[in-house]
Amino acid sequence: MGDRTIWRFHKRPTGPNLNSAFELAYEEIPALSEAEILIANQYIGMDAGTRNWLKAREDGFAPPLPLGAAMVGILIGTVEASEHPDYKPGQLVRAWGQWSNYSIVNPEEVTVHVLDQDIDDIRHYLGLLGPTGLTAYFGVTDIGRAKEGETFVVSAAAGATGSVAGQIARIIGCKTIGIAGTQEKLDWIVSDLGFDLGINYKTDNVEDQLRDACPEGIDIYFDNVAGPILDAVLANIAIHGRIALCGMMDNYNKDELVPGPYKFDMLLMRRATITGFLSRDFFPRMEESDTQIRKWMDQGLITLRFDETEGIENALTTYQRLFRGRNIGKSIIKV
Ligand SMILES: NC(=O)c1ccc[n+]([C@@H]2O[C@H](COP(=O)([O-])OP(=O)(O)OC[C@H]3O[C@@H](n4cnc5c(N)ncnc54)[C@H](OP(=O)(O)O)[C@@H]3O)[C@@H](O)[C@H]2O)c1
């Protein structure tokens, strides 16, 4: 069936440098087994949360990625060959597949969505009409229970999930504050995305800035990073505030267990809650988020910027940019 270029997991990393953890391999594409499909990958999303799978811990939300396995990500592509009765060559699909130009997946084992090809830009299926939109939508509405007039704060606010979560809160009618690591990012979320305020966590005192900006306290915090920013929020959380714990960028590259928030007691003082959630819990409700977000897209109320890099050979460098804050919007590889 020809050859493919594929990123294989070679060695468990320690610390932030992932260069020696992976190897780019050139392999013959294996013959398909029963029920498998071969996908010609077109775009692969770079998802920071998969960093957890590179660790050896057994109590994570997915088992550790075995050494020698291909690195995985959510991708869109075209079915090239199929041994599954429900999938046909030519179909556009979204699936968890391999960092490669060709993925082999078994739809009996992983969810494969067949996508409508009648769309102006298929990248939306990785973004607003895909995992990013789903995570942001249910994190804000279901977990955060954001309501008009409330104060909403999001970290990694110029990244994929954070930029969409903030826009959804703004549409609902919240006062929306984003925390990010560069002035360029803050300018973008305020000028282009309509956030009320941006705070630079690298140069500003986040706790003080939040105190000034949120005199009544923070009703909803959409947390993408944990670490010191979570403490700065806890110091300012409103009575009955809700923290939607989506991710922990500040922890992923650390090898030791990280101590919990120092201001944990503020949950008691303010009768606040913190709720972790995973997008996969909401997969059955994807039509709900897709339908609402599509309406907002049609009304010009919501957008997602793509931070696109061409070439599968650049996947590892692009992935590591997430942890260095080099991306703006949704990081993807164009295969
Ligand atoms: N729960 C779920 O099901 C689910 C689903 C999707 C994503 N997530 C989580 O959502 C978060 C964002 O993921 P994404 O894929 O959308 O990536 P992203 O936000 O597009 O990129 C990550 C951003 O995190 C920021 N960052 C990196 N290290 C940081 C640190 N130590 N402290 C503060 N900010 C830091 C960087 O921006 P700055 O310049 O601002 O530092 C970077 O651009 C991740 O934690 C991910 O695991 C969770």
Side-chain angles (χ1 to χ4, degrees):
M1 274 207 278
D3 293 335
R4 64 173 169 174
T5 309
I6 188 162
W7 283 97
R8 290 216 171 265
F9 186 39
H10 172 60
K11 195 168 115 225
R12 292 219 182 273
T14 48
N17 189 337
L18 306 180
N19 288 336
S20 56
F22 293 93
E23 273 179 352
L24 190 59
Y26 303 92
E27 299 172 358
E28 197 175 324
I29 301 173
L32 296 182
S33 301
E34 191 186 337
E36 285 183 339
I37 62 174
L38 176 70
I39 304 170
N41 299 339
Q42 293 182 51
Y43 292 99
I44 305 175
M46 297 285 105
D47 293 303
T50 53
R51 176 66 179 84
N52 289 300
W53 305 3
L54 309 182
K55 299 185 177 185
R57 62 185 294 181
E58 297 286 345
D59 58 354
F61 57 78
L65 190 69
L67 294 180
M71 181 56 176
V72 290
I74 302 183
L75 53 88
I76 41 183
T78 310
V79 178
E80 188 105 336
S82 172
E83 292 295 329
H84 193 292
D86 299 342
Y87 297 88
K88 306 271 176 283
Q91 283 176 328
L92 185 68
V93 290
R94 176 179 53 220
W96 272 101
Q98 295 99 48
W99 278 17
S100 172
N101 43 355
Y102 288 98
S103 284
I104 294 177
V105 302
N106 183 338
E108 304 296 325
E109 291 167 4
V110 295
T111 309
V112 180
H113 291 122
V114 177
L115 304 168
D116 184 355
Q117 306 204 22
D118 186 18
I119 190 164
D120 60 331
D121 184 347
I122 61 170
R123 297 179 304 174
H124 290 315
Y125 292 129
L126 283 180
L128 288 169
L129 303 176
T132 300
L134 178 89
T135 309
Y137 182 80
F138 287 109
V140 174
T141 60
D142 219 87
I143 306 294
R145 303 190 310 281
K147 292 186 290 295
E148 188 178 354
E150 291 191 315
T151 297
F152 177 96
V153 174
V154 59
S155 49
T161 313
S163 68
V164 176
Q167 290 176 86
I168 292 172
R170 187 211 70 216
I171 293 167
I172 288 171
C174 295
K175 174 174 172 179
T176 303
I177 297 166
I179 303 172
T182 69
Q183 190 58 42
E184 183 192 3
K185 292 181 179 190
L186 301 180
D187 291 344
W188 176 62
I189 60 171
V190 172
S191 312
D192 291 27
L193 304 186
F195 284 50
D196 295 288
L197 179 72
I199 297 175
N200 186 332
Y201 75 94
K202 292 192 175 156
T203 59
D204 298 339
N205 180 320
V206 179
E207 187 175 324
D208 289 351
Q209 296 271 325
L210 286 173
R211 188 170 300 112
D212 288 349
C214 315
E216 311 285 320
I218 297 161
D219 297 299
I220 308 108
Y221 175 45
F222 192 110
D223 189 3
N224 285 316
V225 306
I229 296 177
L230 175 54
D231 275 312
V233 170
L234 281 169
N236 289 289
I237 197 78
I239 290 173
H240 299 141
R242 286 88 66 198
I243 297 175
L245 180 58
C246 177
M248 302 186 135
M249 288 305 295
D250 197 54
N251 293 9
Y252 294 159
N253 278 326
K254 295 179 180 154
D255 303 312
E256 305 300 325
L257 279 180
V258 178
Y262 295 99
K263 298 208 170 134
F264 185 69
D265 64 350
M266 291 304 289
L267 293 176
L268 175 62
M269 307 303 160
R270 303 280 161 85
R271 286 83 87 202
T273 54
I274 181 162
T275 310
F277 71 101
L278 288 179
S279 56
R280 72 162 80 128
D281 303 337
F282 293 98
F283 275 0
R285 292 174 63 188
M286 194 174 238
E287 204 178 316
E288 206 182 307
S289 58
D290 273 4
T291 305
Q292 181 57 70
I293 292 176
R294 209 181 270 270
K295 274 189 203 149
W296 288 334
M297 288 166 78
D298 292 344
Q299 293 166 336
L301 290 174
I302 195 165
T303 181
L304 174 61
R305 177 162 160 179
F306 288 99
D307 196 311
E308 184 175 305
T309 305
E310 196 161 331
I312 189 66
E313 65 281 6
N314 295 316
L316 182 56
T317 315
T318 306
Y319 183 64
Q320 293 189 84
R321 290 175 79 233
L322 294 172
F323 303 96
R324 296 180 184 136
R326 300 277 158 76
N327 64 307
I328 300 188
K330 174 82 182 176
S331 173
I332 55 169
I333 291 290
K334 181 177 186 189
V335 180

